[in-house]
Amino acid sequence: MRPSLDEIASALGRPEILSAVIIDTGQNNLVFDTGDLIIRIPRYDGACLDLERETKVLAALAGRLPLPIPSVNVITLVSGTVAMHRKLPGTPLLDLAGMDDTRRQQLADTLAGFLRVLHTLPLDTLGEPDAAVDPQAEWHELLADVDEKVLPLLPIDIAAAIRGRFEQFLVGDGHPRARAIIHGDFGAGNILVEDGQVSGVIDFAGCAIGDPAYDLASLSAGLGDDLLALMRPSLPGIDAMQDRIRFYRSTFPLLDVLFGLKHDDDGVLKAGLEALRRG
């Protein structure tokens, strides 16, 4: 059971919510736009907890970052949890079409500046313990899930290649990996632009302590490696992260398959499997 727009409008005394337009049917939430307010309704129980945590994360980051971020309020209704925030200006940056070289460089510099600040915040900023005593633990767990649930669905050669990439990543290069506060889903759809300028960053549900290369993997997956090349002068260290960036990108379809299996989402499942077969 999920809250309806009728219930939300009645609870808040805001009849204009009834005219909200759905703008996203993502994996975790249904997202509605009222014109000045963004409403997110969790699609499953775990997403409710994610929204509550994200609210605390955004409060901890408020005033610390060089670009606008949402200020989210979570309310609990009889039928479930709802998150709301004032709509930030702009629309999601989905590609770089129509941008000349100057505009692309400006975009790269702005995004690099945002990540540089985020990735250098003190690790205790979020008010959460860095529970990852073994930073590799989550990747061992992911590999176990992939072994059990994903690889049996794939041709033997593709499954072997995926496992090989995991094993190489887990062995590492003998050097400890950087630990930083990361956005966790720094993809094209979560970067807003207005009049050619970055106007905000949204969706901090995945914000946590992790490898900065993960944010760059998300960014390049949506907007391409050429953008990362433009960021090099403003964000030193990208070249040293290239192997990790490629590995993290290779895991995104695996996560889609696991999500599709867990939540019986056939569309996400098929898309993930097709991406893995394409390589």
Side-chain angles (χ1 to χ4, degrees), residues 17-274:
I17 287 176
L18 295 174
S19 62
V21 177
I22 190 166
I23 58 173
D24 187 13
T25 57
Q27 293 183 355
N28 298 319
N29 304 288
L30 296 173
V31 184
F32 294 86
D33 183 352
T34 72
D36 67 341
L37 194 67
I38 298 296
I39 299 172
R40 285 189 290 168
I41 302 175
R43 291 166 61 92
Y44 55 94
D45 290 344
C48 296
L49 298 176
D50 290 341
L51 280 180
E52 292 170 0
R53 178 184 174 276
E54 183 183 1
T55 301
K56 296 176 182 177
V57 165
L58 287 165
L61 295 176
R64 294 175 177 265
L65 299 173
L67 291 171
I69 62 175
S71 176
V72 176
N73 291 317
V74 173
I75 62 172
T76 301
L77 304 177
V78 172
S79 57
T81 298
V82 177
M84 298 176 295
H85 66 81
R86 289 289 175 186
K87 184 179 179 181
L88 295 180
T91 56
L93 173 66
L94 300 179
D95 57 52
L96 304 182
M99 287 191 182
D100 60 24
D101 290 345
T102 299
R103 190 66 60 82
R104 291 184 185 214
Q105 187 62 63
Q106 290 173 342
L107 173 70
D109 292 342
T110 299
L111 296 180
F114 177 86
L115 290 179
R116 188 171 61 247
V117 173
L118 177 64
H119 292 168
T120 54
L121 288 174
L123 294 183
D124 61 0
T125 297
L126 302 183
E128 299 177 342
D130 182 2
V133 176
D134 175 9
Q136 300 290 69
E138 64 179 304
W139 300 105
H140 283 287
E141 291 171 6
L142 178 58
L143 177 56
D145 264 357
V146 167
D147 268 340
E148 177 187 355
K149 301 171 184 176
V150 182
L151 298 191
L153 304 177
L154 295 168
I156 293 175
D157 59 333
I158 295 176
I162 291 171
R163 207 176 200 296
R165 286 195 293 269
F166 264 93
E167 290 172 351
Q168 183 177 6
F169 172 79
L170 291 171
V171 170
D173 57 8
H175 300 288
R177 295 194 176 116
R179 304 286 290 162
I181 294 176
I182 64 173
H183 179 276
D185 192 9
F186 200 62
N190 291 330
I191 298 165
L192 304 179
V193 291
E194 184 179 46
D195 297 329
Q197 304 295 322
V198 181
S199 56
V201 178
I202 60 174
D203 195 351
F204 283 74
C207 182
I209 296 172
D211 184 349
Y214 196 88
D215 280 341
L216 294 167
S218 298
L219 189 62
S220 64
L223 297 175
D225 291 328
D226 289 345
L227 182 62
L228 296 193
L230 295 176
M231 295 169 70
R232 284 192 179 105
S234 301
L235 195 63
I238 287 182
D239 288 340
M241 299 182 192
Q242 286 301 322
D243 288 344
R244 304 202 310 277
I245 290 171
R246 283 190 288 270
F247 170 75
Y248 293 137
R249 279 185 62 168
S250 76
T251 68
F252 296 158
L254 297 171
L255 296 174
D256 285 341
V257 173
L258 289 169
F259 180 94
L261 291 170
K262 181 177 181 180
H263 298 287
D264 295 320
D265 191 323
D266 196 49
V268 174
L269 172 61
K270 288 181 177 179
L273 289 172
E274 288 174 5

